[in-house]
Each structure stands twice: as C-alpha cells, then as structure tokens.
C-alpha cells in the first residue's frame, strides 16, 4: 500500500475520533480507542515502511527503466580506454579511472566474453561493445570504479575450473595495479551470477549484484559470512523470480542485507534501437520498428508479443532489405535489446542507478555473520 494511502487512513481515523468526542464519549475511552487504532496501524504498516526505508533508494519493487539514456549520454564524462591482457590463458580486459574509489569485477553470462563489455578501439580490436554491457561499464567508470572483466574457460562459467584462476587473476591484478586497499564488489549475470555467488564464499567482496540468477542456494546457505546482495531480475521469468525469492528469504534469515530490483517489460519506440546501439542509425531503427509493427512482432501498444529469442525477427527484415542477407554486425546487439524490452533473462544497464547505489552504500560495510 502506498504511504499516501496510509496517511489518508490516519486522517480518517482522526475524524472518527472527533465525531466520537462530540457524541459525549469519555476521553479515557476515546484515548484507549485511539491507542488501539494506532497500534493496529503500526502492526500492519510498520514492516512495509521499514522495508521501503531499507531498500536501495527507498524502493524494492518494479523499477521504471531509464529509457531516456542513449548509448553516448555519458561519454562526455568518461570514455573507453581499456587494456587487454592474457593472464594464465584467460582473456582479461580492464580500465582504471583517475582516483578510483572501488573495484568492480563483472562476470558475463553463457556465450559471453570479456570483449562484450568494451567498444571496439585501437586498444581492443576484437571488442564488441554490446549495448547493455558497455553502458554498465561506462556507469561504473563514471562513478570511479575500476572495472575488470574476465572471460570464462568454457561457454558458461564452471566454478571448479574457473574459481582458482579468477581468484589468482584478481589477487595479482589488484596488487600489480596498487588497488589492494580499495573495496571490491562483483556483478554477475545468469551463469556469471551463479559464479560470483559461489566465488564470494572464497574471495572477499564487499557486496554483490546477482542479475537474472538466484545464485547457488546450497553454497550460499552454508556460508557463515556472506556479503550484502542485490538481486536484479525480470518478473516475466516467473520460475526465476520464485527461486530468487527463496534465496532472498534464506539470506535474510541469516542476517545478510538483501534487496531486489524487478525489471519490467517496456514498449519499443521507433528510435529505441538507435538510441541504445552505437553505429545503428536512426533511419534503420525506424524502419525496423515499422517492420515489427507490420509483422505483428509488436502489438498495438508497441510491446513485444513474444520473447525475442523465440522470434525469427531477422527474416522479415532481410525480405524488406532492412538488413543484409549476410549476418549483420548488429544482430547480437538488436537481439539483446529485444530480450530486454520483453523483460526476460537479459543483461540490463537500465537499472544502473539502483545497482550503483547499492554498491556505494555497502563499500565499507563489514560482512554479516550468521
């Protein structure tokens, strides 16, 4: 219930008290009745009020995405200048801003790589710069987080195969770059979310953001000290939402600070794709939108009718010569944004404000003990 509704109900109770007073009801009885009403209101609404106050930015429900943000909206603040290295056979890409205040390790999802988070540049010729990944990194750099991304050994993260390698890389890199005194946080999506949820039992992170994943329940449950954890997930993935709720309840029972951000679906606009994808021009974005409307991929309110991975959206675009017959360089980027618009199992930067508020508020908070 909205806090304004609570206030209105309180006002109604006061009016009732006044009416009772006018009808000759004694002050003692009136006072007792008033205390009873106040006690009932407190019992009903206090948990909700505390929950709101405890949540990042005072909210823990559906997050309204920042659709006004474009791919270049913060480039006046920070720009990519990554360093690419191969350490112990692993692809490692990192960037350290001036006066860094903390370190962020990001773990990609299945089929991902470190190159997904960085724009192609002379420093990184193989970088891809997927729209959501790159914006997460830019937000982190703008907020003075040094960012390090590491590619998994296989298609998805394997805790047994990747754990020691990642721990070794992080420890070496922090020492080599003279960042040992800074707080370290981690963000992982899907497979990366499972990975960091387990890695946090063996490597000290000040806090975590687990995205579109519930984490590895048994590993997290067995840990006596676990870092504050924010879950970012999408309600259209109903089963995942149920699993996230179970993990949150378990961590809460252990005294671990937790919160969640729910990422709803949203309608496309004609320029949404060009607003989010570097190099995709506005004319092409508008034409894609028109084809999607014509073919029923979007409904009358411009929402996706189905999850992006289940639609052969490339075929009508090729038939109408909107994209070439050969694999278009933007297909992966477009696919990611369609998944995001449908609100189903995708990396997201739209909730960056809540994510970095969470990290900022737990940089120096000691780990909880159960």
């Amino acid at each position: 219930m909205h806090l304004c509704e609570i206030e209105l109900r309180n006002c109604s109770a006061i009016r009732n008290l006044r009416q009772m007073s006018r009808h000759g009801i004694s002050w003692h009885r009136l006072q007792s009745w008033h205390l009873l009403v106040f006690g009932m209101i407190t019992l009903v609404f206090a948990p909700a009020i505390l929950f709101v106050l405890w949540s990042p930015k005072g909210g823990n429900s559906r997050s309204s995405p920042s659709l006004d943000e474009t791919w270049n909206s913060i480039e006046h603040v920070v720009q990519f200048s990554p360093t690419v290295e191969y350490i112990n056979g692993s692809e490692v890409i990192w960037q350290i801003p001036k006066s860094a205040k903390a370190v962020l390790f990001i773990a990609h999802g299945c089929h991902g790589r470190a190159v997904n988070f960085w724009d192609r540049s002379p420093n990184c010729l193989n970088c891809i710069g997927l729209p959501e990944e790159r914006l997460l990194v830019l937000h982190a750099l703008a907020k003075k987080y040094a960012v390090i991304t590491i590619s998994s050994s296989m298609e998805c993260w394997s805790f047994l195969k990747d754990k020691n390698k990642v721990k070794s890389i992080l420890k070496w890199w922090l020492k080599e770059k003279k960042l040992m005194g800074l707080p370290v946080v981690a963000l992982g999506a899907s497979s990366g979310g499972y990975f960091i949820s387990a890695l946090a039992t063996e490597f000290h992170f000040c806090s975590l953001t687990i995205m579109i994943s519930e984490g590895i329940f048994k590993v997290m449950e067995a840990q006596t000290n676990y870092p504050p954890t924010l879950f970012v997930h999408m309600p259209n993935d109903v089963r995942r939402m149920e699993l996230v709720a179970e993990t949150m309840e378990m961590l809460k029972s252990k005294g671990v600070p937790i919160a969640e951000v729910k990422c709803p679906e949203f309608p496309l606009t004609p320029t949404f794709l060009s607003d989010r994808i570097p190099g995709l021009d506005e004319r092409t974005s508008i034409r894609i939108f028109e084809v999607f409307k014509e073919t029923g991929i979007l409904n009358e309110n411009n929402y996706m009718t189905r999850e992006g991975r289940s639609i052969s959206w490339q075929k009508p675009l090729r038939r109408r010569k909107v994209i070439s017959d050969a694999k278009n360089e933007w297909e992966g980027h477009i696919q990611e944004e369609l998944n995001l618009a449908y609100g189903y199992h995708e990396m997201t930067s739209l909730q960056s404000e809540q994510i970095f508020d969470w990290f900022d508020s737990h940089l120096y908070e000691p780990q909880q003990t159960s």
Side-chain angles (χ1 to χ4, degrees), residues 329-340:
E329 64 176 315
W330 306 124
E331 281 191 30
H333 300 65
I334 295 170
Q335 181 69 73
E336 178 169 90
E337 294 307 289
L338 297 183
N339 300 339
L340 184 62

Side-chain angles (χ1 to χ4, degrees), residues 105 107 157-159 162-163 166 190-200:
F105 165 57
W157 289 94
S158 165
F159 189 61
D162 290 315
K163 171 188 64 174
V166 170
S190 192
S191 171
Y194 293 116
F195 181 68
I196 66 164
S197 76
L199 185 64

Side-chain angles (χ1 to χ4, degrees), residues 20 31-32 35 40 60 65 86 120 130 141 162 171 175 188 201 209 215 228 330 333 358 362 364:
M20 292 172 70
Q31 189 178 42
S32 299
L35 289 172
M40 291 174 65
N60 201 22
Y86 288 86
R120 185 178 296 126
L130 288 176
L141 294 172
D162 290 315
K171 288 177 180 178
K175 184 177 181 180
T201 66
T209 292
W330 306 124
H333 300 65
W358 177 260
H362 295 91
Y364 297 100

Side-chain angles (χ1 to χ4, degrees), residues 87-338:
I87 305 171
N88 296 336
S90 294
E91 182 181 52
V92 182
I93 308 179
W94 54 269
Q95 184 171 335
I96 304 172
K98 290 182 180 179
S99 304
K101 69 178 182 183
V103 174
L104 170 63
F105 165 57
I106 309 180
H108 59 75
C110 286
H111 312 290
R113 290 174 56 200
V115 294
N116 291 359
F117 293 88
W118 311 86
D119 284 354
R120 185 178 296 126
S121 68
N123 291 353
C124 187
L125 296 176
N126 294 321
C127 281
I128 296 170
L130 288 176
E132 300 308 308
E133 285 85 340
R134 64 180 297 281
L135 276 172
L136 276 171
V137 170
L138 285 173
H139 278 287
L141 294 172
K143 292 181 177 292
K144 299 300 181 181
Y145 283 76
V147 179
I148 178 168
T149 59
I150 303 172
S151 293
S152 59
S153 299
M154 302 187 301
E155 206 169 72
C156 299
W157 289 94
S158 165
F159 189 61
L160 293 177
K161 292 186 177 181
D162 290 315
K163 171 188 64 174
N164 291 332
K165 186 180 290 189
V166 170
K167 283 169 55 180
S168 174
I169 290 171
L170 287 175
K171 288 177 180 178
W172 174 86
W173 183 79
L174 290 168
K175 184 177 181 180
E176 178 72 13
K177 306 307 173 186
K178 298 179 173 56
L179 301 173
M180 289 291 289
L182 295 183
V184 183
V185 300
L187 182 153
S190 192
S191 171
Y194 293 116
F195 181 68
I196 66 164
S197 76
L199 185 64
T201 66
E202 298 193 16
F203 188 93
H204 176 67
F205 295 112
C206 292
S207 65
L208 305 176
T209 292
I210 297 178
M211 190 178 288
I212 55 173
S213 166
E214 70 278 11
I216 302 176
F217 188 99
K218 290 184 179 179
V219 173
M220 300 162 80
E221 185 180 35
Q223 181 70 10
T224 55
N225 296 302
Y226 203 79
T229 303
L230 172 68
F231 292 88
V232 180
H233 63 100
M234 300 180 174
N236 274 353
D237 189 347
V238 176
R239 179 55 182 154
R240 189 83 50 203
M241 184 169 63
E242 293 171 349
L243 294 172
V244 167
E246 291 175 11
T247 301
M248 289 180 63
E249 187 61 33
M250 177 270 292
L251 291 176
K252 184 179 178 181
S253 71
K254 293 166 64 69
V256 177
I258 56 163
E260 67 178 332
V261 176
K262 296 179 182 178
C263 310
E265 62 184 322
F266 56 86
L268 262 63
T269 64
T271 61
F272 175 72
L273 294 176
S274 56
D275 287 342
R276 304 292 294 179
I277 301 173
L280 185 69
D281 63 90
E282 188 173 296
R283 182 180 177 183
T284 301
S285 180
I286 293 171
R287 188 69 187 112
I288 291 173
F289 178 85
E290 291 171 345
V291 172
F292 285 177
K293 289 288 285 184
E294 294 166 8
T295 55
I297 292 174
L298 298 179
N299 67 18
E300 63 276 10
N301 296 316
N302 301 330
Y303 284 86
M304 297 284 295
T305 54
R306 285 187 292 161
E307 197 258 327
R309 300 175 187 88
S310 66
I311 301 174
S312 298
W313 54 267
Q314 300 92 335
K315 290 181 179 179
L317 294 180
R318 289 198 174 103
R319 282 198 300 267
R320 291 163 172 80
K321 307 297 183 183
V322 179
I323 61 174
S324 62
D325 289 335
K327 184 172 175 60
N328 188 278
E329 64 176 315
W330 306 124
E331 281 191 30
H333 300 65
I334 295 170
Q335 181 69 73
E336 178 169 90
E337 294 307 289
L338 297 183

